[in-house]
Amino acid sequence: MTAHVRLPRTLPVDDTAHRAFLADVVAGLSADPKTIPPKYFYDERGSQLFEAITRTPEYYPTRTETSILTARAAEIAAFIPQDAVLVEFGAGALTKVRILLDAAPVRAFVPVDISEAFLRGQAARLSREMPGLQVLPVVADFTASFPLPAEVATAPKVGFFPGSTIGNFEPHEATAFLRHAGALLGPGARLILGVDLVKDSDVLVAAYNDAAGVTAEFNLNLLRRINRELGANFDLSAFWHRAVYNREQHRIEMHLASKARQRVRVDGRCFDFRRGETIHTENSYKYTPDLFRTLASGAGWRVATTWTDPQKWFAVHALVRD
Ligand code: AVJ
């Protein structure tokens, strides 16, 4: 007689990250309306697709922010005190911070990122390029609290949070992040933040619905990742990418809309979709300078300077703690 062996249904369940992903997807698909947090876009393919989005003609934020940092590098450097330690939240490929590091002589650079292998590789590459710079990478989820390296305890600190990543937070989460950054960076801290501006909705919608379909691929890749990592059976051709501008809440919303009534299985659980029902996969809040000042002051920061591009499509804000 054959022994009855229970095989695991999916990947190893002792992996903390995997369990958190599964729990978030199950909770999100059980909610009404359905939702999945945008942080799960960034598996390897998702990160590559995001890089491809930044090269589409419609996605203006990356190139606009880079142009502001380049044009204003000297002024931004003047905002960074001598001997300061620069701390970047969600450091990624370290592309934008190089503009600041080239212009400002800092004592040390602390890139903070959750993706350990990528962070260590990028930090090593930067150290080789700038041998005089002390690079102290920290592997952490910057939305939670984490300690800074002991070496930088007494130095004045300047935070750097580019890319309008703050726009992916709900306003109350953005406030919590700014408070937490203030506590982490300590007395006299400063913060340089990139924030996408409210603008014509056609420009906004096009940036999240590029003609080549790269953003659609990026959005749908979330379902591909769930299939692969969580043993789900999403049919990618049965969902549409949708990007809409919600004017009242000044945010772009990305959704995956079901083309038909269907049932999907995730880790043995069933989820039913009505025709046209969506999974809300991302909010990207846009802030006028006034809205942003109000957000910052609610979290203990004062906006000292704001730099924008000639079209006023993107803002780089320099904040000081009150
Ligand atoms: C750069 C992560 C903030 O909201 O613009 C780009 C990500 N999503 N296209 C943004 C994104 C769809 C993005 N962040």
Side-chain angles (χ1 to χ4, degrees):
M1 195 180 135
T2 317
H4 191 84
V5 179
R6 269 201 72 181
L7 291 169
R9 267 184 314 212
T10 59
L11 297 168
V13 285
D14 53 1
D15 174 348
T16 314
H18 173 261
R19 290 172 67 157
F21 183 27
L22 178 61
D24 283 348
V25 168
V26 167
L29 294 180
S30 306
D32 187 16
K34 292 179 170 65
T35 168
I36 296 174
K39 65 180 174 189
Y40 294 115
F41 281 136
Y42 302 94
D43 64 354
E44 195 178 337
R45 185 181 170 128
S47 300
Q48 284 165 359
L49 285 165
F50 176 69
E51 293 305 316
I53 287 172
T54 68
R55 292 189 294 267
T56 63
E58 295 92 342
Y59 193 77
Y60 62 86
T62 308
R63 71 176 67 90
T64 308
E65 181 178 41
T66 300
S67 76
I68 298 167
L69 295 174
T70 304
R72 305 295 193 154
E75 289 167 60
I76 299 169
F79 181 75
I80 302 174
Q82 282 288 326
D83 263 351
V85 171
L86 192 63
V87 179
E88 180 170 6
F89 299 98
L94 307 181
T95 312
K96 293 167 188 164
V97 77
R98 278 181 165 75
I99 304 168
L100 301 192
L101 292 171
D102 283 340
V106 299
R107 170 151 131 197
F109 171 53
V110 180
V112 182
D113 205 284
I114 195 152
S115 168
E116 173 157 21
F118 190 71
L119 174 66
R120 300 227 181 269
Q122 294 301 321
R125 192 159 73 97
L126 182 65
S127 289
R128 282 194 301 275
E129 270 172 47
M130 304 185 86
L133 178 69
Q134 192 181 17
V135 183
L136 302 165
V138 171
V139 180
D141 174 355
F142 64 79
T143 63
S145 75
F146 62 92
L148 287 175
E151 295 98 302
V152 305
T154 58
K157 281 159 210 87
V158 180
F160 183 47
F161 194 35
S164 203
T165 305
I166 196 162
N168 288 155
F169 296 142
E170 290 302 312
H172 76 274
E173 295 168 335
T175 302
F177 169 78
L178 290 172
R179 276 189 191 289
H180 149 76
L184 179 81
L185 299 172
R190 300 183 159 203
L191 189 53
I192 298 161
L193 255 137
V195 181
D196 199 12
L197 291 165
V198 170
K199 65 182 61 61
D200 186 277
S201 64
D202 291 346
V203 175
L204 285 169
V205 170
Y208 293 83
N209 194 18
D210 62 284
V214 184
T215 309
E217 265 305 302
F218 172 75
N219 200 3
L220 285 160
N221 182 59
L222 187 55
L223 302 183
R224 184 182 285 115
R225 181 181 186 187
I226 292 169
N227 283 348
R228 189 184 63 245
E229 294 185 25
L230 303 181
N233 69 342
F234 277 103
D235 173 2
L236 272 64
S237 71
F239 287 85
W240 297 105
H241 162 69
R242 255 183 45 200
V244 291
Y245 184 56
N246 180 330
R247 204 176 296 275
E248 294 67 46
Q249 304 204 69
H250 50 93
R251 69 186 192 202
I252 282 281
E253 296 180 3
M254 292 211 314
H255 295 263
L256 289 163
S258 179
K259 292 181 185 174
R261 238 181 88 156
Q262 56 179 318
R263 170 169 288 183
V264 176
R265 273 188 309 102
V266 182
D267 190 53
R269 296 168 179 82
C270 288
F271 298 97
D272 290 318
F273 288 81
R274 301 181 301 274
R275 181 194 154 96
E277 184 176 1
T278 77
I279 308 172
H280 187 173
T281 52
E282 184 174 55
N283 285 322
S284 192
Y285 282 86
K286 312 301 170 188
Y287 290 92
T288 62
D290 262 352
L291 270 172
F292 186 76
R293 268 191 290 275
T294 305
L295 181 81
S297 77
W301 292 90
R302 179 171 59 78
V303 177
T305 313
T306 299
W307 297 281
T308 61
D309 55 294
Q311 292 185 107
K312 298 202 166 26
W313 278 5
F314 200 91
V316 174
H317 297 287
L319 276 56
V320 293
R321 273 186 91 189
D322 274 337

